Amino acid sequence: MVRRKSAFFLIFSAVVIEYCIASSPDFNPYEELGVSRTATTKEIKTAYKQLAKEWHPDKNRDEGAAEKFMKIQAAYEVLSDDQRRQDYDNYGFTDQNENRPQGHRQPFGGFHQSFFNDFNFNFNFKSNQAGSEARHRLDINRYHSQVLPNSHRKPYLIFVTADWCFTCMQVEPRWLEVVKDLEPLGVGISVVNSDYERRLIGELGISRVPAILALLKGRLYRFQNLNNINARSMKTFLQNLFPSGLVTMINDHNYEQFLNGWKDNKPRSLLFSKKSEPSLLYLNVALENNVRVSFGFVSLSSPDTQKLREKYDINTYDPTLLIFREDTEHYAYRLEASGMQTGAVRDAVRGHYFLTLPRLSSQAVFEQLCSISSMTNKKFCVVLITRDTSSHDEARAILREFIEENSYSSNKVRFSYIFESTQSAFVNALTKGQNILDGSKLQIAVIWRKKSTRIAYDWLEDGWSGNWEDADTNKALLKKYLDQVIKGKVLLPKESDIQDLNDEEYRIITEIVNRITGYFSTFMQYFTSAHWEDIFWLAIISLLAVLGVSLCVTILFLRNPVRNAPERAHRNIQRVRRDIQETIELCELKPSIYEETVMRDKTNLFVLLLLVDRRNKQRLFESFLSEVMPVIQRFQRIKILPAYLNLEAYYHWYEELQVIEETSTTFGREYSGQVVLINGYRKYYSLFTPQNVHTEGVGQANGAIFGQDCLAGLSTWLDRISDGSLERNNVENWPELNPGAN
C-alpha cells in the first residue's frame, strides 16, 4: 500500500509542478538542483538522486518537504530534456505542453485550403494565428493568470489578428521576424484572435485589427506605425516604455556615488557598452531583478568614461558586465562579450542577489537567506544584531572580513545582520524581551530554521566586540563554534516562534508617486497615439455624459430639498453597511488557521469548510458563496467562518476524519464538493454532499465535474444550525492537518 501511495504521489507531483513552472518566473532549475549552468547530464542526474532521496515526503516529515521535493522533480524534468534546457537557457522559461492555451477551432480552416487551392487562387488564407506556436496564443484566462502578473517583470508584445483579415496577412511575416529577434532577449510574445476572444479584445481596448500592443507593469501601449514593423523599431518602442530610473547612466563623475550606495542592501550591476543607451536585454534583466540589485550603464562612446575604462580594464569594443558588492575597488563578477546572452546575464545577476554581509530587510530576504532545512541536512543562518548607527559599522566590517577569509559554502551557512529597531519583533523572539545592545559587545545568533515560523538557535558565547583590537579573537571563537555546529558536535538548544519580518524597502510615498506617474504616462500615451477620430468621439461622449449627469443632479436637487439631506445621508450609511455585510471573505484553511479555529477554539466558532480540487475550484466557489451569503446574513449572532480546503494537499485529513480505511487513489478528487460544518469547541461536525455532479470518462483518475448550482440546497441545510437538527458526528480528537501526510 505504501508503494502504491508513493507512486500516485509522484504522478501528482509531476502534474502540479508542470503548472508551477509555467506560472512562476522565479523558478531556476539550476539553483534547485545546486548545479552550475555547465553541468553535465551525469552531474545533474547525481544531484537529483541525492536531493530526491533527502526530500522525499515518505522519508522527510519536515514542513515544506513536499513542496521542495516537487521543485526538485520539476528542475530535473527541465534539465534532463535537452530541448527544454535549451529553452530555459535562451529564454528563461520552458515550453509546457500542458499549460499551452488551446488553439481555437477554425470553422473555415478546411474551406480556406480546399476551395481556393482547388481553383489555384493564391490568396494564402490561413487561420491567422500569426504562425505562432501554441505557447504564444493568448486567451482571457492566461492573460489574467500569467501575462498580466508577469508584465511587472518583463515586457510583452501582443499581436491582435483575425480570420479573413488581408492586412493581418501582410503584417504577419514581419511580425514573425520580430518574434524571432526579440523573444531571445526576454520579451514575452502573445497572439490573440479577435474572432474568438471578444472579452479579451474588449479589455485590451482594440477596435480594429491588426494591432500590436505592448504590456509593461500592467499597462497597455499601442504601436501605431504598422507599416514600419521590424526588430529595430519594436526595440525602440519597448525601450521608451521602461521606467526612467530603472537603469542609472554612469560616468566618471558619479560612479563612486553609485557603487558606494550598497548600504541600501543591493549589489551593483554595471554594464559597459559602446552604445549610447542600455540595450533591451539589459533593461529586461533590470526590470526582473531591480528589487534585489541596482543597475547602472556606462556608454563607452562618451568622453566622460575614460577614467572608468582604465580603472576596471574595460575593452572599448565589446560589452562587459561587472557586479560589485561592498568592495568598490574590486568587482565580484565579470562577464565578457562572448557570454553576453540573456540566460547568462540573468544568471549572473541572480547569482549575486546579496552583498557579502546582507541585511535581513524583509521576509523575502529572510526566506532566501534563512531557508527551511531538514534534520539530515541542516542549513544555518548567522545573524549579527545591530542598530542603524555608524558606531556599529566596525562590527559589521569585521564580520564581513571573517566571511571573506573563510569560504563557507552558501548551501550550508549564510551570514547576515539585522537592525534591532526595524525588526524588533524578530529580535524579541530571540532575546525573549531582554535588551542585549546596551553592553560593550554585540550579539551573534546562529539559527537553524526548522519550520516556517519555528527556529532553533543559540548565541555566540562571548559575543562580538565590534572593535579591531579584538577582531582576531572574535573571529577565531566564531570559526571554532561554527565548525562544531556544522559537524553536529554542538546542538542549538534554544527554540522560538518567529513572525514575518517587516519590509524595510517598502515606501508608501514612493508607491503613490509611481502610481500617479504611471496613470499620467498611460493617459499621455493614449492621447498621443490614438486616432484623432477616436479622440473626437470620446470628447463628444464625455461632454454628453457630463451634461446628462448635471441634469440629473439638478432634477434630484429640486425634488429633494436640502432639509432632507440628513435623512438621505443616514440611508446612504445604512446601504454602505449592508454592502459591507454582504462581502464575504473565503479563506484557505491552512495548518496555522486550523489549529486556531478548530483545535484550540474556545469561542463556539463554526468553520464552514468547502473541499475543493483544482479542476472544480472556481465553479464550487461561485456556488458556495451564493448559498452561504444569505445564511450568514440571517444568523449574524452565530459566528461562521467560510473556508476552503485544497484536497490535493490535505485529502488525508478528510480520510482520517471520516475514518476511511481505503485511501484515495486520485488525491482526494472524489471528495471534492463536500461541505463540512465544524464546531471545534464542542468537537463535532456535520456533512453536506453536493447533488448536481456527473463523472467524465471511465476510471477514478478523471474525478467529478460539477454543474451550475452544484451546491443547491446548502443554504436550506445550513438553516438547521439554529434548531440543532443537523446530524452530528462527534470526534474525540481532531486529526492533524499536515500537507501530504500519510
Side-chain angles (χ1 to χ4, degrees):
M1 180 60 71
V2 173
R3 292 181 179 178
R4 189 177 175 189
K5 288 161 66 177
S6 299
F8 280 114
F9 180 84
L10 291 174
I11 294 172
F12 172 65
S13 300
V15 174
V16 171
I17 286 302
E18 288 293 320
Y19 174 80
C20 292
I21 292 175
S23 60
S24 175
D26 293 329
F27 179 78
N28 187 326
Y30 293 102
E31 292 182 0
E32 293 298 338
L33 293 184
V35 297
S36 67
R37 179 174 286 275
T38 58
T40 63
T41 304
K42 184 177 180 180
E43 291 172 339
I44 292 171
K45 190 173 183 179
T46 301
Y48 165 71
K49 286 184 176 180
Q50 291 175 348
L51 291 171
K53 183 178 180 180
E54 176 186 347
W55 289 98
H56 196 289
D58 285 350
K59 297 181 179 180
N60 192 324
R61 299 294 182 180
D62 290 346
E63 183 178 346
E67 182 181 356
K68 179 68 175 178
F69 178 73
M70 291 189 289
K71 288 182 179 179
I72 294 168
Q73 285 280 97
Y76 182 67
E77 289 178 9
V78 173
L79 299 185
S80 62
D81 186 305
D82 292 339
Q83 183 59 49
R84 293 176 66 184
R85 182 178 181 181
Q86 183 179 353
D87 286 344
Y88 179 82
D89 291 341
N90 291 334
Y91 311 132
F93 56 83
T94 62
D95 187 10
Q96 299 296 314
N97 293 329
E98 287 185 37
N99 296 291
R100 291 177 175 176
Q102 297 299 315
H104 297 288
R105 181 176 61 87
Q106 306 296 333
F108 299 108
F111 177 73
H112 293 163
Q113 298 296 327
S114 62
F115 179 82
F116 291 102
N117 289 344
D118 288 345
F119 287 94
N120 297 319
F121 292 138
N122 189 23
F123 287 148
N124 192 30
F125 279 111
K126 297 182 181 179
S127 63
N128 275 327
Q129 294 292 337
S132 65
E133 299 180 21
R135 61 190 172 91
H136 291 157
R137 296 175 193 163
L138 184 64
D139 57 26
I140 193 166
N141 292 328
R142 181 169 177 256
Y143 175 74
H144 284 289
S145 64
Q146 295 183 30
V147 173
L148 195 58
N150 289 346
S151 70
H152 292 271
R153 300 174 61 87
K154 71 176 182 179
Y156 278 84
L157 283 176
I158 304 174
F159 180 49
V160 185
T161 182
D163 293 338
W164 305 97
C165 172
F166 288 93
T167 309
C168 300
M169 296 175 192
Q170 295 171 352
V171 171
E172 179 182 330
R174 286 175 285 161
W175 163 258
L176 294 176
E177 289 298 318
V178 169
V179 172
K180 183 179 178 181
D181 289 338
L182 266 61
E183 191 172 26
L185 300 181
V187 178
I189 302 296
S190 294
V191 178
V192 182
N193 190 313
S194 62
D195 291 335
Y196 304 97
E197 294 295 339
R198 296 292 187 184
R199 286 178 57 199
L200 180 56
I201 293 300
E203 288 195 27
L204 298 178
I206 299 299
S207 58
R208 57 176 64 89
V209 293
I212 295 179
L213 302 175
L215 177 65
L216 183 65
K217 296 182 77 66
R219 299 186 179 92
L220 290 165
Y221 306 86
R222 185 161 182 167
F223 182 75
Q224 291 297 324
N225 193 2
L226 293 179
N227 295 322
N228 186 30
I229 298 178
N230 54 60
R232 177 177 295 181
S233 65
M234 298 305 293
K235 283 182 182 179
T236 303
F237 171 60
L238 288 174
Q239 286 172 326
N240 292 333
L241 302 181
F242 283 87
S244 58
L246 183 64
V247 176
T248 305
M249 300 300 293
I250 304 299
N251 53 44
D252 291 341
H253 307 294
N254 66 350
Y255 81 93
E256 290 183 345
Q257 179 183 359
F258 174 75
L259 295 180
N260 285 317
W262 57 264
K263 289 189 177 180
D264 64 2
N265 210 30
K266 295 182 181 180
R268 265 47 187 168
S269 171
L270 203 54
L271 177 65
F272 295 80
S273 173
K274 60 184 179 181
K275 294 182 179 180
S276 60
E277 58 185 15
S279 65
L280 182 60
L281 185 157
Y282 193 59
L283 288 170
N284 283 339
V285 174
L287 180 69
E288 180 182 354
N289 301 283
N290 70 91
V291 174
R292 295 264 57 87
V293 179
S294 290
F295 291 84
F297 177 78
V298 180
S299 175
L300 298 176
S301 60
S302 171
D304 294 336
T305 60
Q306 182 177 356
K307 182 179 178 180
L308 270 171
R309 296 198 301 266
E310 294 174 354
K311 182 171 185 176
Y312 297 113
D313 191 22
I314 301 300
N315 184 343
T316 58
Y317 299 100
D318 297 316
T320 302
L321 178 71
L322 302 182
I323 298 180
F324 294 83
R325 289 192 173 116
E326 293 95 329
D327 186 355
T328 60
E329 297 297 320
H330 304 91
Y331 50 80
Y333 184 83
R334 184 183 184 114
L335 182 64
E336 300 286 357
S338 58
M340 198 72 70
Q341 298 178 0
T342 306
V345 174
R346 181 187 292 110
D347 283 353
V349 172
R350 286 185 173 182
H352 297 82
Y353 263 2
F354 300 105
L355 301 171
T356 304
L357 181 65
R359 185 172 74 254
L360 295 179
S361 57
S362 67
Q363 183 64 21
V365 174
F366 182 68
E367 293 288 348
Q368 291 180 278
L369 292 179
C370 301
S371 58
I372 302 171
S373 59
S374 65
M375 175 73 74
T376 57
N377 186 23
K378 293 181 180 178
K379 298 178 182 179
F380 301 98
C381 188
V382 180
V383 182
L384 173 64
I385 314 295
T386 71
R387 287 196 177 116
D388 187 6
T389 173
S390 58
S391 62
H392 288 175
D393 286 348
E394 194 171 333
R396 292 188 283 264
I398 295 172
L399 182 56
R400 193 175 295 116
E401 185 177 82
F402 171 83
I403 298 168
E404 293 170 346
E405 293 173 352
N406 297 274
S407 55
Y408 286 103
S409 170
S410 60
N411 291 326
K412 200 66 180 177
V413 182
R414 300 299 293 263
F415 296 84
S416 61
Y417 70 96
I418 195 170
F419 285 153
E420 182 267 345
S421 58
T422 55
Q423 306 295 347
S424 57
F426 181 86
V427 174
N428 287 336
L430 299 178
T431 63
K432 307 302 182 184
Q434 298 180 4
N435 192 342
I436 63 171
L437 295 179
D438 286 344
S440 59
K441 293 185 177 182
L442 303 181
Q443 298 297 324
I444 285 182
V446 179
I447 296 172
W448 166 43
R449 193 174 175 201
K450 303 172 64 175
K451 298 181 180 180
S452 59
T453 59
R454 188 72 176 174
I455 60 172
Y457 70 99
D458 202 1
W459 302 100
L460 184 63
E461 185 174 355
D462 294 328
W464 194 254
S465 67
N467 59 72
W468 289 106
E469 291 79 7
D470 300 327
D472 292 338
T473 302
N474 276 266
K475 288 190 286 186
L477 291 173
L478 178 58
K479 179 172 175 55
K480 179 181 178 181
Y481 180 64
L482 269 182
D483 290 343
Q484 291 176 332
V485 171
I486 292 172
K487 293 177 182 178
K489 295 180 179 180
V490 174
L491 299 179
L492 303 178
K494 299 180 175 62
E495 291 199 8
S496 180
D497 291 321
I498 56 174
Q499 301 177 9
D500 287 354
L501 272 68
N502 298 322
D503 190 351
E504 300 173 11
E505 299 157 3
Y506 180 76
R507 298 290 184 270
I508 185 66
I509 296 178
T510 303
E511 181 70 15
I512 293 173
V513 171
N514 289 340
R515 286 179 178 271
I516 293 175
T517 304
Y519 293 143
F520 179 76
S521 63
T522 302
F523 170 76
M524 292 303 298
Q525 174 72 17
Y526 174 79
F527 184 80
T528 56
S529 62
H531 294 284
W532 285 107
E533 58 268 25
D534 293 340
I535 296 177
F536 172 77
W537 286 111
L538 179 62
I540 293 296
I541 294 172
S542 301
L543 179 60
L544 292 175
V546 170
L547 291 175
V549 171
S550 301
L551 181 62
C552 292
V553 170
T554 303
I555 294 173
L556 290 173
F557 182 79
L558 293 175
R559 289 185 175 181
N560 298 278
V562 178
R563 57 187 173 85
N564 290 331
E567 296 180 10
R568 292 198 302 273
H570 178 72
R571 288 197 299 270
N572 289 338
I573 292 172
Q574 294 300 321
R575 185 176 66 253
V576 170
R577 287 176 177 172
R578 287 196 301 270
D579 292 341
I580 293 174
Q581 290 174 351
E582 290 175 1
T583 302
I584 294 178
E585 182 179 359
L586 187 61
C587 72
E588 181 180 359
L589 191 67
K590 292 188 175 181
S592 58
I593 300 176
Y594 175 76
E595 184 174 359
E596 179 181 352
T597 59
V598 177
M599 301 187 74
R600 295 184 179 180
D601 178 57
K602 303 296 183 183
T603 62
N604 203 30
L605 171 72
F606 285 95
V607 177
L608 188 59
L609 186 63
L610 173 66
L611 309 184
V612 300
D613 64 323
R614 189 170 64 250
R615 184 179 189 183
N616 294 289
K617 188 174 184 178
Q618 193 58 42
R619 189 177 289 109
L620 286 170
F621 277 2
E622 295 172 358
S623 182
F624 183 70
L625 289 174
S626 65
E627 291 287 324
V628 170
M629 188 179 296
V631 176
I632 294 181
Q633 290 296 311
R634 288 196 297 272
F635 299 154
Q636 294 186 11
R637 294 185 179 180
I638 300 177
K639 292 183 289 184
I640 300 177
L641 174 67
Y644 70 94
L645 184 73
N646 281 318
L647 284 168
E648 286 90 346
Y650 300 106
Y651 69 93
H652 287 293
W653 171 85
Y654 180 76
E655 291 178 342
E656 187 175 351
L657 178 69
Q658 287 283 82
V659 196
I660 299 175
E661 297 181 356
E662 185 67 24
T663 187
S664 171
T665 59
T666 63
F667 300 98
R669 283 195 285 268
E670 65 266 36
Y671 311 138
S672 184
Q674 306 272 3
V675 179
V676 186
L677 181 67
I678 300 174
N679 190 310
Y681 177 66
R682 299 186 182 277
K683 290 191 175 182
Y684 73 84
Y685 70 93
S686 302
L687 188 65
F688 174 85
T689 303
Q691 302 299 322
N692 189 10
V693 186
H694 66 275
T695 57
E696 178 182 69
V698 179
Q700 293 176 313
N702 291 312
I705 300 177
F706 294 84
Q708 294 183 345
D709 300 324
C710 50
L711 296 178
L714 177 59
S715 59
T716 305
W717 182 79
L718 288 173
D719 284 339
R720 296 160 59 189
I721 295 177
S722 59
D723 59 18
S725 61
L726 285 176
E727 181 180 353
R728 300 184 180 184
N729 300 285
N730 296 312
V731 295
E732 193 170 325
N733 291 300
W734 294 108
E736 294 286 339
L737 185 66
N738 295 318
N742 287 319

